[in-house]
Amino acid sequence: MATPSAALRILLVEDNLPDIRLTTEALKDGHASSTLSVARDGVEALEVLQHERSTRPTLPDLILLDLNLPRKDGREVLRAVKSDPALVHIPIIILTTSSAEQDVRDSYRLGANAYVVKPVDLDRFFAVVAAIQQFWMQAARLASGSGRPPS
């Protein structure tokens, strides 16, 4: 569990500007404290993670990853993160529009911690993002390798 005073550091990997705005607003509306970084494609996401791994305390606690991204898709990002010993501990939640069973299977096979289909309904979207935020802040225990002290 994260400590109450520590903000959950989230990396959102999303290319759709309206979805970035909605996710940002949903996290602000949540009852838990979060800081959000955004990468607009898979290449940028991996560059951010490679840069932040050299300053370990700034690694994200959680990654929200879209599957359908330009340059490198979410599957490639997932594969790269879960095969990197310095990053493998970071939970990755797939947050995507795809409900295809093959995408779900592939994501879990590659090491995703959860697969969430983005709700079309605005209220439901806010509720889903808030639930993700609350679970990772209040119920889950984050790996001590995340750069934050163990709780």
Side-chain angles (χ1 to χ4, degrees):
M1 250 184 311
T3 59
S5 60
L8 183 69
R9 291 182 307 265
I10 299 172
L11 174 61
L12 173 64
V13 186
E14 173 63 66
D15 65 319
N16 182 292
L17 191 54
D19 285 347
I20 293 170
R21 288 185 184 137
L22 283 175
T23 305
T24 301
E25 287 305 312
L27 289 169
K28 284 181 188 174
D29 283 358
H31 298 290
S33 177
S34 298
T35 59
L36 182 68
S37 300
V38 177
R40 299 286 306 270
D41 62 49
V43 171
E44 184 180 346
L46 293 175
E47 288 171 353
V48 166
L49 290 167
Q50 292 305 318
H51 176 264
E52 290 181 355
R53 78 189 278 198
S54 65
T55 57
R56 203 163 184 79
T58 64
L59 279 172
D61 298 308
L62 179 67
I63 298 172
L64 299 177
L65 178 63
D66 188 19
L67 285 182
N68 303 311
L69 298 167
R71 301 203 295 164
K72 272 192 191 290
D73 72 15
R75 293 159 204 81
E76 293 172 285
V77 173
L78 180 58
R79 184 179 296 111
V81 171
K82 292 302 181 180
S83 65
D84 185 329
L87 304 173
V88 68
H89 67 277
I90 302 171
I92 298 180
I93 310 304
I94 303 301
L95 185 60
T96 187
T97 56
S98 173
S99 59
E101 186 61 29
Q102 191 62 49
D103 286 340
V104 175
R105 280 193 199 121
D106 289 346
S107 295
Y108 282 120
R109 182 181 51 76
L110 292 170
N113 297 85
Y115 191 101
V116 178
V117 177
K118 292 177 190 173
V120 186
D121 177 75
L122 185 62
D123 290 335
R124 183 79 180 113
F125 181 85
F126 271 63
V128 164
V129 171
I132 291 169
Q133 181 185 37
Q134 288 176 345
F135 174 79
W136 289 100
M137 280 296 292
Q138 298 171 5
R141 169 137 184 182
L142 297 166
S144 60
S146 67
R148 59 169 64 239
S151 48

